[in-house]
Amino acid sequence: QVQLVESGGGSVQAAGSLRLSCAASEYIVRSFCMGWFRQAPGKEREFLSAITTAGYISYATSVKGRFTISRDNAKNTLYLQMNSLKPEDTAMYYCAKGAAPDCNHGYNYWGQGTQVTVSS
């Protein structure tokens, strides 16, 4: 069974940094597209970033230049380094497993989420 467990969230002041981790069950990270999403109360789920098994990366405009997605296949872990955080980054952050090695076929598994709160 696929398991995705996020960690690394917390409270940080504006301009601070956090590194989120997504621990996945064996072989998942190396075999599928992996992505990061977030959702704030009352708002739609927002795509942040994704990485294909070939290493191609995409970012949402709102986080480009501030967030960096990466993976460690040996550790079965996906990461999201978040720098220059802003209060509007406050949300629940989720990692997700794509349905295919590329990121063009949607996502079919989601973690439980980790809360990120950025204060001014």
Side-chain angles (χ1 to χ4, degrees):
Q1 189 71 67
V2 173
Q3 290 188 349
L4 304 172
V5 181
E6 301 95 334
S7 62
S11 297
V12 65
Q13 293 187 29
S17 298
L18 286 172
R19 189 192 194 196
L20 306 184
S21 298
C22 173
S25 47
E26 192 173 14
Y27 304 128
I28 294 301
V29 171
R30 74 184 68 176
S31 300
F32 296 94
C33 161
M34 299 294 295
W36 286 99
F37 296 76
R38 68 186 179 191
Q39 187 168 28
K43 294 188 176 181
E44 296 292 310
R45 183 179 61 200
E46 178 187 11
F47 167 80
L48 298 176
S49 184
I51 183 169
T52 74
T53 60
Y56 292 100
I57 292 170
S58 60
Y59 294 101
T61 301
S62 60
V63 303
K64 188 175 296 184
R66 299 189 298 125
F67 291 10
T68 303
I69 191 171
S70 63
R71 67 180 178 220
D72 187 328
N73 290 338
K75 291 183 169 65
N76 300 307
T77 302
L78 179 75
Y79 301 99
L80 185 68
Q81 178 67 46
M82 306 187 295
N83 299 325
S84 302
L85 285 163
K86 308 172 182 179
E88 51 262 46
D89 293 319
T90 296
M92 186 73 77
Y93 283 68
Y94 300 90
C95 68
K97 168 193 169 293
D102 62 64
C103 298
N104 301 319
H105 300 277
Y107 298 85
N108 56 6
Y109 289 91
W110 300 80
Q112 86 290 342
T114 185
Q115 179 67 39
V116 171
T117 302
V118 184
S119 62
S120 60

